[in-house]
Amino acid sequence: KYDNACDIWSCGVIMYVLLCGYPPFYGDTDADVLQKVRLGNFTFTAADWKGVSEDAKDLIRKTLKMNPRDRYTAEQCLAHVWVKNKAPKAANVPLEGGTINNMRSFRSQNKLKKAAMHVIAQSLGDSDLKNLKSLFMSLDKNGDGSLTVAELKQGLEQAGIADKADDLQEILKHIDADGSGQVDYTEFLAAAMDKKVYLKEETVWAAFRVFDRDGDGKITQAELKQVLSAGNMDEIATATQIQELMKDVDQNGDGEIDFKEFMEMMKKA
């Protein structure tokens, strides 16, 4: 029976997606998704939910109860503390702290994902990157369009979190794709973007199409080499490294990367 309890469940799913960037129930096929929906099992992955209040997670849990009789009503949702008091238990997580964590995570990604992040950074609009753009401009003290270690360190000290980036030099080494010794705007965006921004399906599809040169839905070794060598990452486009990249991402071993495999790579922490 379809009634307003179904709408509350849908609101819970939407709220989950808005707060972390991906749905609570995920599967390789529609049948897999439906199976997980029927079981009602979902989690709050720590890395993606560390900046979200307990109040918000509590409301999601109450809207995604499998038994409609246990599920919150619309009236209860509106009276919930997260809605009424605007997440009073939310931690004050500074943008700079989250940005450093993203940059540190970027350092450990495989080279294909790094290249994909560069593609995404170049294609996203100002609305998606407004906060990062403002942060970059505030850090770029001399306005030359690049960040030095000194500029980043100064920004962290002003934010009171310099102690969280004792590995700053090593972080910048991996972000500096063109080896200039500084981090330009696109390099900064690629490394600092949050999952909520770059894991949108349409965004990942746009990046995938850049690598899928002939549009057949698969990325071959030749296409990988062509795209990687065309950018500022020439040093990673050797035949051996391309083969290693392919082996790392090509889950079914068919020698090509399809969108599902590409998306799985993007989701990996």
Side-chain angles (χ1 to χ4, degrees):
K1 178 184 176 183
Y2 186 95
D3 57 17
N4 56 10
C6 299
D7 295 330
I8 296 299
W9 188 88
S10 298
C11 287
V13 172
I14 292 170
M15 182 177 169
Y16 188 103
V17 173
L18 289 174
L19 290 176
C20 78
Y22 53 84
F25 309 106
Y26 177 78
D28 295 332
T29 66
D30 289 343
D32 290 341
V33 173
L34 287 173
Q35 179 65 21
K36 291 182 179 179
V37 168
R38 291 189 185 99
L39 293 172
N41 295 331
F42 63 91
T43 60
F44 298 108
T45 305
D48 301 330
W49 289 84
K50 60 188 175 185
V52 179
S53 72
E54 286 301 318
D55 290 325
K57 288 184 273 190
D58 179 67
L59 181 55
I60 290 174
R61 291 187 190 99
K62 288 181 166 66
T63 57
L64 293 182
K65 292 284 188 182
M66 285 304 297
N67 189 332
R69 287 189 292 269
D70 298 330
R71 197 175 303 155
Y72 256 28
T73 64
E75 184 178 7
Q76 286 175 308
C77 288
L78 291 174
H80 190 274
V81 64
W82 188 75
V83 176
K84 292 190 72 174
N85 300 335
K86 297 182 180 178
K89 296 178 186 175
N92 183 22
V93 181
L95 175 61
E96 292 84 352
T99 300
I100 287 296
N101 288 336
N102 290 341
M103 292 164 74
R104 186 177 287 114
S105 175
F106 181 86
R107 179 179 63 179
S108 63
Q109 302 303 329
N110 72 42
K111 295 177 176 66
L112 174 55
K113 182 170 180 178
K114 287 180 179 179
M117 298 282 277
H118 275 259
V119 171
I120 291 172
Q122 292 171 327
S123 63
L124 288 175
D126 287 343
S127 60
D128 293 303
L129 302 170
K130 182 179 179 181
N131 290 337
L132 284 181
K133 180 178 181 180
S134 298
L135 176 59
F136 182 88
M137 292 174 67
S138 69
L139 291 172
D140 183 18
K141 299 301 183 183
N142 62 3
D144 67 350
S146 296
L147 300 179
T148 62
V149 173
E151 286 175 324
L152 272 171
K153 191 171 182 180
Q154 182 181 353
L156 293 173
E157 288 171 349
Q158 290 174 349
I161 57 172
D163 59 321
K164 294 185 179 180
D166 52 1
D167 55 347
L168 185 60
Q169 186 80 46
E170 188 67 18
I171 291 173
L172 291 190
K173 177 183 175 182
H174 288 268
I175 295 173
D176 178 21
D178 60 7
S180 66
Q182 298 182 329
V183 175
D184 65 30
Y185 182 56
T186 300
E187 290 170 339
F188 176 78
L189 292 181
M193 275 190 299
D194 193 81
K195 275 188 173 183
K196 294 177 187 176
V197 175
Y198 71 75
L199 274 186
K200 295 176 182 176
E201 187 166 328
E202 63 271 22
T203 301
V204 180
W205 261 116
F208 179 82
R209 292 189 187 103
V210 171
F211 291 90
D212 179 20
R213 305 293 288 178
D214 60 8
D216 68 348
K218 303 272 189 176
I219 300 173
T220 64
Q221 288 193 34
E223 288 171 326
L224 266 183
K225 182 173 178 60
Q226 184 180 358
V227 176
L228 294 177
S229 297
N232 293 323
M233 306 178 79
D234 305 64
E235 74 278 7
I236 74 164
T238 67
T240 301
Q241 289 169 323
I242 292 293
Q243 288 173 1
E244 290 174 354
L245 274 178
M246 185 66 70
K247 183 179 179 181
D248 185 41
V249 182
D250 177 24
Q251 297 177 353
N252 62 10
D254 65 354
E256 297 176 317
I257 299 171
D258 59 25
F259 179 72
K260 174 187 164 188
E261 292 167 332
F262 191 83
M263 176 62 96
E264 285 299 317
M265 174 198 69
M266 295 300 293
K267 286 181 178 180
K268 287 182 179 178

